[in-house]
Amino acid sequence: MGLMLPGEQPPASGAEHPDHGSLDPADNRTRSSVITARAAHTFEPVGRSVAAARAFVRDTLQGWGFGDVVDDAVVLTSELVTNAVVHAGTAAEVVCLRSGDGVRIEVSDRYPEREIPLQSSGVAMGSPDREGGRGLQLCAALATRWGVEYSPAHKHVWFRLDLPERQVGTRTAGPSVSTELLPLADERVRVAVIQIDSEGAVSAWNDDAQELFGYPAKQIIGKPLTDYAAWPHTPGTSTGIAEALRLSRWEGSYGIRAADGRVVPVYASHLRVRDPQGEPSTVCLLVRDDERAVLATPQRGTAPESAHRADGQSTDPFETFIGSPAPDDLDGLLQRTVERSRDMLDGDAAFLLLATDDETELEVRATTGLPSARQRFARVPVDTGSGRYGTARMPAVHEDLSAVPGAVPLLNGTGMRSVVTVPLKVEGRLTGSLGVAAEGAGRYSNEEALRLQFAADRIALAVESARLGELERLRRGSLSFLVEASDLLAGTLDRDQTLALMAQMTVPTLATWCAVYTIADTASEPYLSYVLHEDEERIDGLKALLGRIDPPEPVPTPGARIWPAPARAAHEAALEASVRSLDDEPHHLGSGIGSTLTTAASVGGETVVLPLVARNRVIGMLVLGKPSEDHFRQENLELAEDLSRRAALALDNSRLYSERMAISQSLQRSLLPPDMPEVPGVEVEVIYRAAGEGNEVGGDFYDLFTIPDGAYGFAIGDVCGTGPEAAAVTGLARHALRLLAREGYSGPAVLERLNNAILDEGERSRFLTLLYGELRPQEDGSALLKVVCAGHPLPLRLRQDGSVEAAAEPQPLLGVMDDLELYEQTVRLEPGDVLLCVTDGITERREGSRMLGDDGLAEVLKGCTGLTAGAVAARVMRAVERFAADSPSDDMAILTMRVPEPQRN
């Protein structure tokens, strides 16, 4: 490092440095921009160089009296040197150039294969969540000016920080204010000057001290100050009066017990000094606490109007530490905090943990210099003990972690030796913990703990406010998520679709991958029913891995529990694949273990199991997983638990619905007639539509079956009502018709006996309209029909000339009267004639006040001349459907019979 000696001639204003360019010639500030000093150092490409570079810049700027820009300069240097020695893997040269109004710092590396960005391409800034790539972002945010210069073998990134304007010779000043705004004080402000020797005893006591506290000097000199100091024992603060007296500088409030027994609140400023013989002592200046403005050090870095900014706003201590503008999100705020803390104490790493609501655990939320991806959202207990985070509630310094293994679990295996941790507290409640660590032992003492505690006190409230805001957003998002999930799950009763919805709602919102195990009954083993990964190409490998391990135990205890089996199995599979690949040819190595290693990385993180409990029975398990070294947030686990309860009920409802649908469909199919026989010389077509979703059989029915003497019985009927009750009478009617007709009974006798059977049902009986007939094909090509129409819509006959007429007369319906006398009528269908039989769901089709009716049906039938039986039935059904926009509310049946015309040669 080289400095310009007094008397040396500086280079001309605006002259270029031979190696590092020049200061910006566009600088029109009135103060001199002449380079007055230069310091340079080269750092090797090792991790420790980053901390060394920070110390170099800090020492250089403080030596130049540039304390106002030290923090920003250290932050920028740290990021740029990290890019060079860590990410680019090359040595970094840091050059500090001092001028009268600011400092320029250059960081150069020698990355020989660096790609020069095209001027036409957009600049893509790095993500704030990444460890590297943020140097230029920070330069843009903090530096007065900055730039990048490329050469074939070097890259220079430079930034300039201007000193704040202030009057010559003035360190800090306050604005001119009215008399009413000045601090109140007694008629005479007394400043007690007390000197404490190295043993902690009072060695000097001035007259103002005697006036303030009532003790003469001879009474108190030689006695320990601790006998008179009323030190505040604030929970979570370990720095006492003895420690404060040994610090190089300290400011704060405490009390002094006066001679009259009362405690006088004082504000004190301690300064550690040494005499010519090297003996240390502490000089204490004390004033009444309400007169603290006399001694309190103004916030560093303010403009000449130290109490107010240019816009009239009061200076915020939080912004002084964190920088302005402050990040507007919690993660950004926490990341900025750990970076500033690390740089402030010249550490190699820093971390910040936030407390859970019950203050029993701490969750890792931000780190720098540590493997953040591995530690993020990991939790450690607050309680003391081996392997626990025992220093959370009070400041602590560990000079050598190797002597106290497990004292800070977060740093295990990181190579950090010394660490200082302080609590973040809001109104006495623990909200988090902030720590800075270094690779070397003995790097930190109580002085650094006090500095870090001051910083933590400045940011604690802002962090807690941001955390509460994040929790509120998460809770609102959780409510919206659960409402949407409930709607989706309630919208289906299909089991497979419910399983798919469960998985799709958790991936990737709550987890990286998901598996659903189902349990058919208490005697069945869990079955892997569904697997989903956010990367579809990994689903097969994940399913194969889970298929090789035993499923989790179906424990009904609510809440998520850790399931280590998948991660363990993935690790073992990857290890076995790696061992096997050693015997393969080199060109097989990548393809042989690639899939296994990919699957292992997918399930190598935290895996949890949530029981699916419905109606006091475990019906399955929901398994959620993270990739390697990743952890779940507690808020996400609580949300997953709420989702699992809703999903379990939806899954059980779909199971019950599927079972009942299977039973219902089986019973309904038993009520439908088997395949209808082919009638020689006669075309027969049937269309049947049952009303209601999922119903295959309703109150309408039809049948066509063989009876003795080469005849065929046919029937179309309508039971009062729809649904299962009507379907029960349908089954009775259809089976009774077949049985009685095959016993040789005539049509009227068949219906009379069916009428008695319906009446015997008592309260379960329902009246029934029925058209029954016997069909006998004739040798001349015609067909002879004997029909009985018991209260049913009359059958219509379509002749070849297009005329339509009723083919029977109406008679009483069944199921109403005991003594029923019916008769049959004979109808002959000539070649080309059509007989149309329908139920009242056809004729009573409505659109508003209009009804299709018998006349409307006859008009439709008139247009069916020359059509086959199937075409006639289809045209009638199409006309009925188009008659009204609404879905049919009644069962509908159509039976058509047509005697085809003889084919001509």
Side-chain angles (χ1 to χ4, degrees), residues 17 117 145 199 209 254 258 287 289 321 410 441 444 489 525 540 542 551 575 587 759 788 806 848:
H17 189 277
R145 289 180 297 281
E199 302 298 327
Y254 53 93
V287 297
D289 192 58
F321 173 74
L410 181 63
Y444 301 117
L489 291 171
E525 292 294 325
D540 292 338
L542 178 59
L575 183 61
H587 62 275
L759 292 175
V788 181

PDB file of all heavy atoms in Angstrom, residues 17 117 145 199 209 254 258 287 289 321 410 441 444 489 525 540 542 551 575 587 759 788 806 848:
ATOM      1  N   HIS A  17      -4.679   7.962 -14.513  1.00  0.00           N
ATOM      2  CA  HIS A  17      -3.699   7.081 -13.878  1.00  0.00           C
ATOM      3  C   HIS A  17      -3.241   6.086 -14.936  1.00  0.00           C
ATOM      4  O   HIS A  17      -4.031   5.586 -15.740  1.00  0.00           O
ATOM      5  CB  HIS A  17      -4.338   6.347 -12.688  1.00  0.00           C
ATOM      6  CG  HIS A  17      -3.336   5.602 -11.878  1.00  0.00           C
ATOM      7  ND1 HIS A  17      -2.897   4.369 -12.218  1.00  0.00           N
ATOM      8  CD2 HIS A  17      -2.687   5.942 -10.732  1.00  0.00           C
ATOM      9  CE1 HIS A  17      -2.009   3.943 -11.322  1.00  0.00           C
ATOM     10  NE2 HIS A  17      -1.881   4.884 -10.409  1.00  0.00           N
ATOM     11  N   PRO A 117     -20.010  -8.317 -23.171  1.00  0.00           N
ATOM     12  CA  PRO A 117     -21.432  -8.175 -23.531  1.00  0.00           C
ATOM     13  C   PRO A 117     -21.603  -7.235 -24.709  1.00  0.00           C
ATOM     14  O   PRO A 117     -20.907  -6.241 -24.843  1.00  0.00           O
ATOM     15  CB  PRO A 117     -22.047  -7.587 -22.255  1.00  0.00           C
ATOM     16  CG  PRO A 117     -20.931  -6.902 -21.564  1.00  0.00           C
ATOM     17  CD  PRO A 117     -19.697  -7.698 -21.874  1.00  0.00           C
ATOM     18  N   ARG A 145     -21.280   7.193  -8.897  1.00  0.00           N
ATOM     19  CA  ARG A 145     -21.076   6.817 -10.291  1.00  0.00           C
ATOM     20  C   ARG A 145     -20.337   5.482 -10.310  1.00  0.00           C
ATOM     21  O   ARG A 145     -19.623   5.156  -9.367  1.00  0.00           O
ATOM     22  CB  ARG A 145     -20.262   7.887 -11.046  1.00  0.00           C
ATOM     23  CG  ARG A 145     -21.028   9.173 -11.296  1.00  0.00           C
ATOM     24  CD  ARG A 145     -20.176  10.193 -12.038  1.00  0.00           C
ATOM     25  NE  ARG A 145     -19.017  10.612 -11.283  1.00  0.00           N
ATOM     26  CZ  ARG A 145     -19.042  11.502 -10.285  1.00  0.00           C
ATOM     27  NH1 ARG A 145     -20.191  12.024  -9.920  1.00  0.00           N
ATOM     28  NH2 ARG A 145     -17.945  11.860  -9.649  1.00  0.00           N
ATOM     29  N   GLU A 199      -9.025  -1.421  37.972  1.00  0.00           N
ATOM     30  CA  GLU A 199      -9.687  -2.357  38.884  1.00  0.00           C
ATOM     31  C   GLU A 199     -11.161  -2.049  39.041  1.00  0.00           C
ATOM     32  O   GLU A 199     -11.860  -2.726  39.805  1.00  0.00           O
ATOM     33  CB  GLU A 199      -9.002  -2.303  40.251  1.00  0.00           C
ATOM     34  CG  GLU A 199      -7.521  -2.629  40.221  1.00  0.00           C
ATOM     35  CD  GLU A 199      -7.275  -4.039  39.726  1.00  0.00           C
ATOM     36  OE1 GLU A 199      -8.124  -4.927  39.986  1.00  0.00           O
ATOM     37  OE2 GLU A 199      -6.252  -4.254  39.061  1.00  0.00           O
ATOM     38  N   ALA A 209     -20.115  16.042  39.959  1.00  0.00           N
ATOM     39  CA  ALA A 209     -20.528  14.712  40.408  1.00  0.00           C
ATOM     40  C   ALA A 209     -21.033  14.789  41.845  1.00  0.00           C
ATOM     41  O   ALA A 209     -22.031  14.145  42.214  1.00  0.00           O
ATOM     42  CB  ALA A 209     -19.360  13.744  40.291  1.00  0.00           C
ATOM     43  N   TYR A 254     -28.146   4.503  32.544  1.00  0.00           N
ATOM     44  CA  TYR A 254     -28.279   3.669  33.735  1.00  0.00           C
ATOM     45  C   TYR A 254     -28.567   4.601  34.898  1.00  0.00           C
ATOM     46  O   TYR A 254     -29.015   5.746  34.701  1.00  0.00           O
ATOM     47  CB  TYR A 254     -27.056   2.780  33.965  1.00  0.00           C
ATOM     48  CG  TYR A 254     -25.708   3.471  34.000  1.00  0.00           C
ATOM     49  CD1 TYR A 254     -25.151   3.888  35.213  1.00  0.00           C
ATOM     50  CD2 TYR A 254     -24.956   3.648  32.832  1.00  0.00           C
ATOM     51  CE1 TYR A 254     -23.896   4.493  35.247  1.00  0.00           C
ATOM     52  CE2 TYR A 254     -23.710   4.237  32.857  1.00  0.00           C
ATOM     53  CZ  TYR A 254     -23.182   4.670  34.080  1.00  0.00           C
ATOM     54  OH  TYR A 254     -21.953   5.251  34.126  1.00  0.00           O
ATOM     55  N   ALA A 258     -27.882   7.829  44.750  1.00  0.00           N
ATOM     56  CA  ALA A 258     -27.430   9.068  45.389  1.00  0.00           C
ATOM     57  C   ALA A 258     -27.317   8.888  46.896  1.00  0.00           C
ATOM     58  O   ALA A 258     -27.743   7.878  47.470  1.00  0.00           O
ATOM     59  CB  ALA A 258     -28.384  10.208  45.051  1.00  0.00           C
ATOM     60  N   VAL A 287     -24.574  12.971  32.702  1.00  0.00           N
ATOM     61  CA  VAL A 287     -25.544  14.039  32.882  1.00  0.00           C
ATOM     62  C   VAL A 287     -26.874  13.395  33.254  1.00  0.00           C
ATOM     63  O   VAL A 287     -27.044  12.178  33.151  1.00  0.00           O
ATOM     64  CB  VAL A 287     -25.709  14.887  31.601  1.00  0.00           C
ATOM     65  CG1 VAL A 287     -24.418  15.598  31.244  1.00  0.00           C
ATOM     66  CG2 VAL A 287     -26.197  14.024  30.434  1.00  0.00           C
ATOM     67  N   ASP A 289     -30.493  12.035  32.837  1.00  0.00           N
ATOM     68  CA  ASP A 289     -30.973  11.340  31.644  1.00  0.00           C
ATOM     69  C   ASP A 289     -31.835  12.228  30.762  1.00  0.00           C
ATOM     70  O   ASP A 289     -31.819  12.099  29.542  1.00  0.00           O
ATOM     71  CB  ASP A 289     -31.766  10.081  32.051  1.00  0.00           C
ATOM     72  CG  ASP A 289     -32.039   9.169  30.873  1.00  0.00           C
ATOM     73  OD1 ASP A 289     -31.067   8.739  30.234  1.00  0.00           O
ATOM     74  OD2 ASP A 289     -33.221   8.901  30.583  1.00  0.00           O
ATOM     75  N   PHE A 321     -28.395   2.147   9.148  1.00  0.00           N
ATOM     76  CA  PHE A 321     -27.712   0.853   9.108  1.00  0.00           C
ATOM     77  C   PHE A 321     -28.009   0.091   7.817  1.00  0.00           C
ATOM     78  O   PHE A 321     -27.104  -0.426   7.170  1.00  0.00           O
ATOM     79  CB  PHE A 321     -28.125   0.001  10.305  1.00  0.00           C
ATOM     80  CG  PHE A 321     -27.594  -1.410  10.255  1.00  0.00           C
ATOM     81  CD1 PHE A 321     -26.267  -1.677  10.513  1.00  0.00           C
ATOM     82  CD2 PHE A 321     -28.428  -2.464   9.927  1.00  0.00           C
ATOM     83  CE1 PHE A 321     -25.766  -2.968  10.453  1.00  0.00           C
ATOM     84  CE2 PHE A 321     -27.944  -3.761   9.861  1.00  0.00           C
ATOM     85  CZ  PHE A 321     -26.612  -4.009  10.133  1.00  0.00           C
ATOM     86  N   LEU A 410     -26.048 -24.225  13.389  1.00  0.00           N
ATOM     87  CA  LEU A 410     -26.074 -23.742  12.020  1.00  0.00           C
ATOM     88  C   LEU A 410     -24.686 -23.734  11.385  1.00  0.00           C
ATOM     89  O   LEU A 410     -24.546 -23.882  10.170  1.00  0.00           O
ATOM     90  CB  LEU A 410     -26.661 -22.324  12.002  1.00  0.00           C
ATOM     91  CG  LEU A 410     -26.807 -21.636  10.647  1.00  0.00           C
ATOM     92  CD1 LEU A 410     -27.780 -22.400   9.761  1.00  0.00           C
ATOM     93  CD2 LEU A 410     -27.274 -20.207  10.832  1.00  0.00           C
ATOM     94  N   ALA A 441     -10.106 -18.139  14.746  1.00  0.00           N
ATOM     95  CA  ALA A 441     -10.524 -18.148  16.152  1.00  0.00           C
ATOM     96  C   ALA A 441     -10.169 -16.809  16.801  1.00  0.00           C
ATOM     97  O   ALA A 441      -9.248 -16.108  16.384  1.00  0.00           O
ATOM     98  CB  ALA A 441      -9.844 -19.293  16.891  1.00  0.00           C
ATOM     99  N   TYR A 444     -13.668 -12.147  17.730  1.00  0.00           N
ATOM    100  CA  TYR A 444     -14.688 -11.246  18.276  1.00  0.00           C
ATOM    101  C   TYR A 444     -14.624 -11.178  19.789  1.00  0.00           C
ATOM    102  O   TYR A 444     -14.231 -12.132  20.467  1.00  0.00           O
ATOM    103  CB  TYR A 444     -16.084 -11.695  17.823  1.00  0.00           C
ATOM    104  CG  TYR A 444     -16.219 -11.724  16.323  1.00  0.00           C
ATOM    105  CD1 TYR A 444     -16.472 -12.914  15.653  1.00  0.00           C
ATOM    106  CD2 TYR A 444     -16.059 -10.563  15.583  1.00  0.00           C
ATOM    107  CE1 TYR A 444     -16.569 -12.942  14.268  1.00  0.00           C
ATOM    108  CE2 TYR A 444     -16.146 -10.579  14.203  1.00  0.00           C
ATOM    109  CZ  TYR A 444     -16.400 -11.764  13.553  1.00  0.00           C
ATOM    110  OH  TYR A 444     -16.490 -11.791  12.199  1.00  0.00           O
ATOM    111  N   LEU A 489     -62.376 -29.524  -4.942  1.00  0.00           N
ATOM    112  CA  LEU A 489     -62.625 -30.863  -4.415  1.00  0.00           C
ATOM    113  C   LEU A 489     -64.115 -31.162  -4.336  1.00  0.00           C
ATOM    114  O   LEU A 489     -64.536 -32.311  -4.513  1.00  0.00           O
ATOM    115  CB  LEU A 489     -61.990 -31.000  -3.026  1.00  0.00           C
ATOM    116  CG  LEU A 489     -60.458 -31.007  -3.005  1.00  0.00           C
ATOM    117  CD1 LEU A 489     -59.944 -30.923  -1.575  1.00  0.00           C
ATOM    118  CD2 LEU A 489     -59.907 -32.251  -3.684  1.00  0.00           C
ATOM    119  N   GLU A 525     -53.408 -52.965   3.079  1.00  0.00           N
ATOM    120  CA  GLU A 525     -52.165 -52.232   3.199  1.00  0.00           C
ATOM    121  C   GLU A 525     -52.250 -50.939   2.378  1.00  0.00           C
ATOM    122  O   GLU A 525     -52.991 -50.874   1.398  1.00  0.00           O
ATOM    123  CB  GLU A 525     -50.995 -53.085   2.689  1.00  0.00           C
ATOM    124  CG  GLU A 525     -50.680 -54.284   3.561  1.00  0.00           C
ATOM    125  CD  GLU A 525     -50.158 -53.870   4.927  1.00  0.00           C
ATOM    126  OE1 GLU A 525     -49.440 -52.848   5.001  1.00  0.00           O
ATOM    127  OE2 GLU A 525     -50.482 -54.555   5.910  1.00  0.00           O
ATOM    128  N   ASP A 540     -41.725 -40.868 -13.304  1.00  0.00           N
ATOM    129  CA  ASP A 540     -41.540 -42.320 -13.395  1.00  0.00           C
ATOM    130  C   ASP A 540     -40.447 -42.796 -12.432  1.00  0.00           C
ATOM    131  O   ASP A 540     -40.614 -43.812 -11.754  1.00  0.00           O
ATOM    132  CB  ASP A 540     -41.193 -42.714 -14.832  1.00  0.00           C
ATOM    133  CG  ASP A 540     -42.365 -42.503 -15.782  1.00  0.00           C
ATOM    134  OD1 ASP A 540     -43.505 -42.460 -15.289  1.00  0.00           O
ATOM    135  OD2 ASP A 540     -42.136 -42.362 -17.003  1.00  0.00           O
ATOM    136  N   LEU A 542     -39.456 -41.337  -9.707  1.00  0.00           N
ATOM    137  CA  LEU A 542     -39.952 -41.163  -8.343  1.00  0.00           C
ATOM    138  C   LEU A 542     -40.935 -42.270  -7.976  1.00  0.00           C
ATOM    139  O   LEU A 542     -40.884 -42.827  -6.877  1.00  0.00           O
ATOM    140  CB  LEU A 542     -40.621 -39.794  -8.215  1.00  0.00           C
ATOM    141  CG  LEU A 542     -41.253 -39.449  -6.866  1.00  0.00           C
ATOM    142  CD1 LEU A 542     -40.218 -39.492  -5.754  1.00  0.00           C
ATOM    143  CD2 LEU A 542     -41.903 -38.073  -6.931  1.00  0.00           C
ATOM    144  N   PRO A 551     -44.482 -48.504   2.471  1.00  0.00           N
ATOM    145  CA  PRO A 551     -45.235 -47.247   2.639  1.00  0.00           C
ATOM    146  C   PRO A 551     -45.157 -46.772   4.085  1.00  0.00           C
ATOM    147  O   PRO A 551     -44.837 -47.547   4.992  1.00  0.00           O
ATOM    148  CB  PRO A 551     -46.662 -47.642   2.243  1.00  0.00           C
ATOM    149  CG  PRO A 551     -46.725 -49.117   2.471  1.00  0.00           C
ATOM    150  CD  PRO A 551     -45.363 -49.648   2.170  1.00  0.00           C
ATOM    151  N   LEU A 575     -25.832 -44.434  -4.504  1.00  0.00           N
ATOM    152  CA  LEU A 575     -24.542 -45.012  -4.162  1.00  0.00           C
ATOM    153  C   LEU A 575     -24.320 -46.327  -4.900  1.00  0.00           C
ATOM    154  O   LEU A 575     -23.237 -46.577  -5.450  1.00  0.00           O
ATOM    155  CB  LEU A 575     -24.463 -45.232  -2.646  1.00  0.00           C
ATOM    156  CG  LEU A 575     -23.135 -45.761  -2.101  1.00  0.00           C
ATOM    157  CD1 LEU A 575     -22.014 -44.775  -2.409  1.00  0.00           C
ATOM    158  CD2 LEU A 575     -23.232 -46.000  -0.586  1.00  0.00           C
ATOM    159  N   HIS A 587     -17.834 -44.468 -21.461  1.00  0.00           N
ATOM    160  CA  HIS A 587     -18.914 -43.757 -22.142  1.00  0.00           C
ATOM    161  C   HIS A 587     -20.278 -44.129 -21.591  1.00  0.00           C
ATOM    162  O   HIS A 587     -21.285 -43.551 -21.989  1.00  0.00           O
ATOM    163  CB  HIS A 587     -18.874 -44.029 -23.649  1.00  0.00           C
ATOM    164  CG  HIS A 587     -19.081 -45.493 -23.986  1.00  0.00           C
ATOM    165  ND1 HIS A 587     -18.035 -46.399 -23.983  1.00  0.00           N
ATOM    166  CD2 HIS A 587     -20.203 -46.173 -24.323  1.00  0.00           C
ATOM    167  CE1 HIS A 587     -18.509 -47.604 -24.331  1.00  0.00           C
ATOM    168  NE2 HIS A 587     -19.811 -47.484 -24.519  1.00  0.00           N
ATOM    169  N   LEU A 759    -101.634 -53.508  -6.699  1.00  0.00           N
ATOM    170  CA  LEU A 759    -102.440 -53.126  -5.530  1.00  0.00           C
ATOM    171  C   LEU A 759    -101.977 -53.854  -4.287  1.00  0.00           C
ATOM    172  O   LEU A 759    -102.087 -53.329  -3.171  1.00  0.00           O
ATOM    173  CB  LEU A 759    -103.920 -53.409  -5.812  1.00  0.00           C
ATOM    174  CG  LEU A 759    -104.570 -52.524  -6.887  1.00  0.00           C
ATOM    175  CD1 LEU A 759    -106.010 -52.989  -7.149  1.00  0.00           C
ATOM    176  CD2 LEU A 759    -104.566 -51.063  -6.446  1.00  0.00           C
ATOM    177  N   VAL A 788    -103.773 -53.559 -25.877  1.00  0.00           N
ATOM    178  CA  VAL A 788    -104.592 -53.039 -24.778  1.00  0.00           C
ATOM    179  C   VAL A 788    -103.907 -51.781 -24.286  1.00  0.00           C
ATOM    180  O   VAL A 788    -102.731 -51.824 -23.875  1.00  0.00           O
ATOM    181  CB  VAL A 788    -104.737 -54.051 -23.635  1.00  0.00           C
ATOM    182  CG1 VAL A 788    -105.609 -53.467 -22.527  1.00  0.00           C
ATOM    183  CG2 VAL A 788    -105.312 -55.365 -24.146  1.00  0.00           C
ATOM    184  N   ALA A 806    -104.903 -42.775 -34.544  1.00  0.00           N
ATOM    185  CA  ALA A 806    -104.731 -43.550 -33.315  1.00  0.00           C
ATOM    186  C   ALA A 806    -105.019 -45.007 -33.610  1.00  0.00           C
ATOM    187  O   ALA A 806    -105.978 -45.338 -34.330  1.00  0.00           O
ATOM    188  CB  ALA A 806    -105.649 -43.039 -32.223  1.00  0.00           C
ATOM    189  N   GLY A 848     -92.220 -23.258 -21.772  1.00  0.00           N
ATOM    190  CA  GLY A 848     -93.116 -22.229 -21.255  1.00  0.00           C
ATOM    191  C   GLY A 848     -94.523 -22.785 -21.120  1.00  0.00           C
ATOM    192  O   GLY A 848     -94.760 -23.802 -20.481  1.00  0.00           O
TER     193      GLY A 848
END
